[in-house]
Amino acid sequence: MDLSFLQQFINALQLGSLYALVALGYSMVYGVLLLINFAHGDIFMFGAFLGVFCSMTLKLPFVPTLLLSMILTALLGMTIERVAYKPLRHASRLSVVITALGVGLLLENGMLALTGADPRNYPEEFLVTTVYNIGGLSISNVKIIIIVLAFVLFLGLYLIVQRTKWGMAMRAISYDKFAVPLMGVSQNQIIALTFALGTALAAAGGILWGVAFPVLNPYMGMRVGWKAFIAAVVGGIGDVRGAFLGGLLLGFVEIFVVELGQYVGISSTWRDPIAFALLLIILVVRPTGLFGVARRQKV
């Protein structure tokens, strides 16, 4: 097999894993609340900058930085849900959307005021890069860590959703949020847990993104967030398997559009339009996404 193809396969797996971690948060929140949390991309940015603070100011190594950032970002997610979204649970969808956009702008401009507009990156000793050459194929330890950690986090989330009583409660609220409180389940606790898990994964994605692409700025979450949202919709928003698969699919499409485009004379600037066009075709064929199920409502 062509080494160039294998090299791009690894690159696509890395990029898709990063998109997938962010897409999982979109999918979880929508599955429970039917809410598109448009501030999720900026929470991803917040986790990345929090990692910079932990690594440069507190001098923490990679693993403690990752864990502390995930915990603190989860607390941020729970706070946002309690302060911004909980009072609007019975409000119109438009009010919630405007609030989500406002929270995102608050995070962006708040981080801009705190850190300035200059790009930030992690210190060199945070995660030393080692490149392994296997039969002419170059694979860095950073790519291995990103791919393995993304799959481990997805598997852990999937087991929580499918095998625990908290996950059963999440799925029950997704199915009928009015009946679940009558069964003695605290809706507030389950929603807070959902936001905590989703934002913690976004923080992990932000730190791993900063390690892979070491140029961070307060507006980085806007572009990545929209792409992850599209990936979640293509995979079937509300299903964690679909969100993860959608993120991987978007990563593969972006990388291989550039790789194959050089053979047919297509510029790399066409990467996003072609990628989104292909994903649009998938939605035309399957409007609910790859794993999505059409919701029926009795009237």
Side-chain angles (χ1 to χ4, degrees), residues 49 112 115-121 216-218:
F49 272 86
L112 180 65
T115 64
D118 294 333
R120 300 299 181 95
N121 55 8
L216 308 180
N217 65 80

Side-chain angles (χ1 to χ4, degrees), residues 168-183:
M168 184 182 298
M170 290 178 190
R171 288 182 283 122
I173 290 179
S174 176
Y175 184 76
D176 192 336
K177 64 180 179 180
F178 299 105
V180 169
L182 301 177
M183 308 292 289

